[in-house]
Amino acid sequence: MLRDRRLVLLLCGAALVCAAALLTPLPSPAQIQQWAGEAGPYFPLLFFLAHTVLTVAPVPRTVFTVASGLLFGPAVGLTVAVGASVLSAATAFLLVRAYGRDRVSIYLDHPTVRLVDERLHRRGWLAVGALRLIAFAPFSVVNYCCALSSIRFWPYLGATVIGILPGTAATVILADALTGGTHPVMVAVSIGCIAAGLLGLAVDQRWKPAVEAPVAALD
């Protein structure tokens, strides 16, 4: 493999990039936050728009959440992170439902898939809220799967707001703590979010639908 000149050049280039990253002095988190404050009043808006648009695609939301706390502090950072995440979730849901659901509906006839889809239609807010609380559930994938299911828009959006709020607040505050502004005790909130999310999925799994009484019996 080392006889391939292209591979050797690629390895040398990667080594140079790593060396430059290690030797180049990087700004401290406090300096980054100071630069963001000096960038002008439109910088948070531009960041908000970039956060909203890019996370519609499968781009990790955590990167923007951490950056929000690092750049803008806890108050503005939380507002930007939550607002952009909710708008991104709504946009992804509406786009996939408008242009993607009809294309995959022919593959949703399996009895197991129909059972899951029926459960999401009945009480999808519980499953969505639980998945939002769990940090390792990809944000964009949850958006796409919900759009392809029969869950209604407003329960989906409400569960999204409630589900992302605790974890987003913890991440923003922890990121701001890197600048020395807050003590990072909020890590317990992230652990609590994961536990609450797993509990919600367990409740959803064991929650049996109520059996409706026949009309004749009611008469």
Side-chain angles (χ1 to χ4, degrees):
M1 293 176 62
L2 293 178
R3 294 178 181 177
D4 190 343
R5 183 176 299 178
R6 291 174 298 179
L7 179 60
V8 173
L9 291 175
L10 179 62
L11 292 175
C12 292
L16 289 175
V17 170
C18 292
L22 292 174
L23 297 176
T24 302
L26 299 176
S28 66
Q31 288 176 321
I32 295 174
Q33 195 172 80
Q34 182 181 357
W35 292 344
E38 297 172 353
Y42 295 106
F43 180 64
L45 178 60
L46 294 176
F47 183 89
F48 179 90
L49 294 176
H51 183 342
T52 302
V53 173
L54 292 178
T55 51
V56 171
V59 175
R61 185 179 72 97
T62 306
V63 175
F64 290 94
T65 306
V66 172
S68 297
L70 189 61
L71 293 172
F72 309 119
V76 177
L78 182 60
T79 302
V80 170
V82 172
S85 297
V86 173
L87 184 57
S88 174
T91 304
F93 182 93
L94 294 175
L95 286 176
V96 173
R97 175 153 293 187
Y99 299 104
R101 182 173 170 80
D102 293 339
R103 297 183 180 182
V104 301
S105 59
I106 57 175
Y107 303 106
L108 303 179
D109 290 335
H110 192 277
T112 303
V113 177
R114 292 177 61 185
L115 180 63
V116 173
D117 189 54
E118 181 183 355
R119 177 178 296 178
L120 285 173
H121 180 72
R122 255 194 341 264
R123 55 175 185 276
W125 56 269
L126 179 58
V128 174
L131 289 173
R132 297 300 193 193
L133 285 167
I134 301 174
F136 47 80
F139 180 74
S140 57
V141 174
V142 174
N143 296 339
Y144 306 154
C145 292
C146 290
L148 295 175
S149 71
S150 296
I151 186 174
R152 291 167 293 176
F153 175 74
W154 290 113
Y156 157 82
L157 196 64
T160 295
V161 174
I162 296 173
I164 68 171
L165 191 56
T168 303
T171 304
V172 168
I173 293 174
L174 286 172
D176 179 64
L178 297 176
T179 65
T182 311
H183 192 273
V185 295
M186 292 298 293
V187 67
V189 177
S190 299
I191 299 175
C193 289
I194 296 175
L198 294 175
L199 178 62
L201 291 178
V203 171
D204 180 66
Q205 179 66 25
R206 294 179 177 275
W207 191 348
K208 302 299 182 181
V211 179
E212 298 181 359
V215 177
L218 292 176
D219 292 338

